[in-house]
Amino acid sequence: MKMKHAILLKTGVALFVLAAVSCKKNETTEPPIPIDPPVVSYLPVTVYDDGMPADSFVYNDDNTVAKLYYYYNKDTKKYAQTVTFKYTNGKCVGMERAQNDVVYQTDALVYKGNKVTNYTTYMGGRKDSAFLTLDNRNMVTLDGSKDTLRGSDFESMDYTEFTYANGNLVSHLHQHYYKDNGSSNSVKGEATYSYDDKANTLQYFFAVNPYIAFILSWEEGNMFSTGRNNLTKLMVVSTSGSVVKSTDTYKITNIFDEKTGLLSKQQLTENDKPMGERTYRFIKIK
């Protein structure tokens, strides 16, 4: 159940760090977003897309995720991808990704002031890094940098800005520009998010498992609510140069269990066409 816009995939980075540093002391008088007790009683153990296993979670004793399994192969009846998480004092400091039990990528997270750096090492030794800026409530306001990188024959700029309200991500703006050997292009993506007024069953899950939001959004492009309420609509406007390339609307119908009140099912559409149905299986918190 993947989305076609890369701009949507960028969102996971912000959601990841928002939760990643939530355990740090708040430097503002504004109170933290409350998590209703009924919501924190359960954690998702399996997520299904159209009846097929999509994601599965194994937990540590403190309710942090020890392993994430995804990309289920219905022929082998096994998950192709495994992510193992590393923690220090309850904070995620890295992860190890494996495909069919072969490690192909490791990540190390370094926290300093209002900056978080993610250092990545790929199979073969190639390295990369990503930088994020936080506000005084430890929410990501900027992914990347607004500075223009310049070389002898190229220029580039790539960043995403995020805006929050009432404990939810309400919009983000992605700007990408490059110029290489005389040719150039600029791409802009603007997204706006709408929510219901119900407590998000998955809020506690994402709060104690920050890197999960990053992986689920970046790798799969799925529309998971990580904040206070449940996502109901996402509108994306993509522009190349000065021309609007597309305007797309994604809608989510959230269905809750009558007895427990937990989120049990989501029906998704893209421009009013069915995208699929997602269902959840939960376990009670230890």
Side-chain angles (χ1 to χ4, degrees):
M1 197 181 298
K2 301 179 182 180
M3 292 184 241
K4 62 186 180 183
H5 296 281
I7 178 64
L8 301 179
L9 306 185
K10 296 282 287 185
T11 309
V13 180
L15 301 179
F16 138 60
V17 177
L18 164 61
V21 295
S22 62
C23 61
K24 294 173 63 178
K25 183 178 179 181
N26 228 324
E27 298 177 5
T28 176
T29 56
E30 191 171 353
I33 301 302
I35 301 176
D36 295 337
V39 176
V40 305
S41 299
Y42 295 84
L43 290 168
V45 64
T46 307
V47 181
Y48 300 86
D49 282 344
D50 295 327
M52 293 294 297
D55 308 289
S56 184
F57 311 96
V58 176
Y59 294 92
N60 296 311
D61 290 339
D62 61 355
N63 298 325
T64 56
V65 172
K67 290 182 181 291
L68 161 66
Y69 299 92
Y70 63 111
Y71 284 156
Y72 184 80
N73 187 319
K74 64 180 180 180
D75 295 325
T76 63
K77 296 183 179 180
K78 294 181 179 180
Y79 290 96
Q81 299 278 349
T82 304
V83 184
T84 302
F85 297 90
K86 300 178 181 179
Y87 301 88
T88 298
N89 297 325
K91 177 185 289 188
C92 182
V93 295
M95 72 169 192
E96 188 176 78
R97 300 181 189 229
Q99 180 170 339
N100 298 322
D101 299 324
V102 178
V103 176
Y104 66 90
Q105 179 180 326
T106 59
D107 289 77
L109 307 180
V110 177
Y111 304 84
K112 185 177 181 180
N114 69 332
K115 304 286 185 181
V116 179
T117 305
N118 180 7
Y119 295 99
T120 300
T121 302
Y122 300 95
M123 180 184 292
R126 185 172 68 87
K127 298 181 182 295
D128 200 357
S129 59
F131 307 93
L132 302 108
T133 303
L134 317 177
D135 65 11
N136 63 355
R137 293 192 69 202
N138 295 322
M139 291 183 172
V140 173
T141 56
L142 184 67
D143 169 22
S145 173
K146 293 184 179 182
D147 295 333
T148 301
L149 298 177
R150 291 183 172 88
S152 58
D153 57 358
F154 80 94
E155 294 181 358
S156 69
M157 179 180 62
D158 192 6
Y159 69 87
T160 307
E161 286 187 293
F162 303 90
T163 303
Y164 307 87
N166 301 317
N168 296 308
L169 176 68
V170 294
S171 67
H172 77 264
L173 169 66
H174 178 219
Q175 296 272 20
H176 175 72
Y177 164 79
Y178 75 89
K179 181 178 180 181
D180 187 11
N181 291 323
S183 63
S184 63
N185 188 33
S186 62
V187 177
K188 180 171 71 172
E190 299 175 275
T192 55
Y193 303 77
S194 300
Y195 299 85
D196 62 17
D197 59 357
K198 297 180 181 295
N200 177 17
T201 302
L202 300 172
Q203 183 185 8
Y204 175 75
F205 167 70
F206 284 115
V208 297
N209 296 288
Y211 221 106
I212 295 295
F214 169 77
I215 295 174
L216 294 181
S217 296
W218 184 267
E219 294 289 351
E220 304 183 48
N222 286 328
M223 293 177 282
F224 288 94
S225 298
T226 63
R228 187 177 188 181
N229 304 112
N230 301 281
L231 183 65
T232 57
K233 185 171 72 172
L234 171 58
M235 182 175 291
V236 182
V237 179
S238 300
T239 305
S240 180
S242 59
V243 179
V244 175
K245 290 295 185 180
S246 64
T247 300
D248 295 281
T249 301
Y250 301 88
K251 296 179 181 178
I252 303 176
T253 300
N254 298 295
I255 301 172
F256 301 87
D257 186 278
E258 293 183 358
K259 294 182 179 180
T260 64
L262 297 174
L263 178 67
S264 61
K265 183 183 299 183
Q266 293 175 310
Q267 296 168 338
L268 299 92
T269 65
E270 178 184 4
N271 299 325
D272 295 324
K273 296 181 180 179
M275 284 181 65
E277 183 176 88
R278 178 185 298 141
T279 56
Y280 296 86
R281 184 166 68 90
F282 292 90
I283 57 173
K284 202 161 189 176
I285 287 180
K286 299 175 182 179

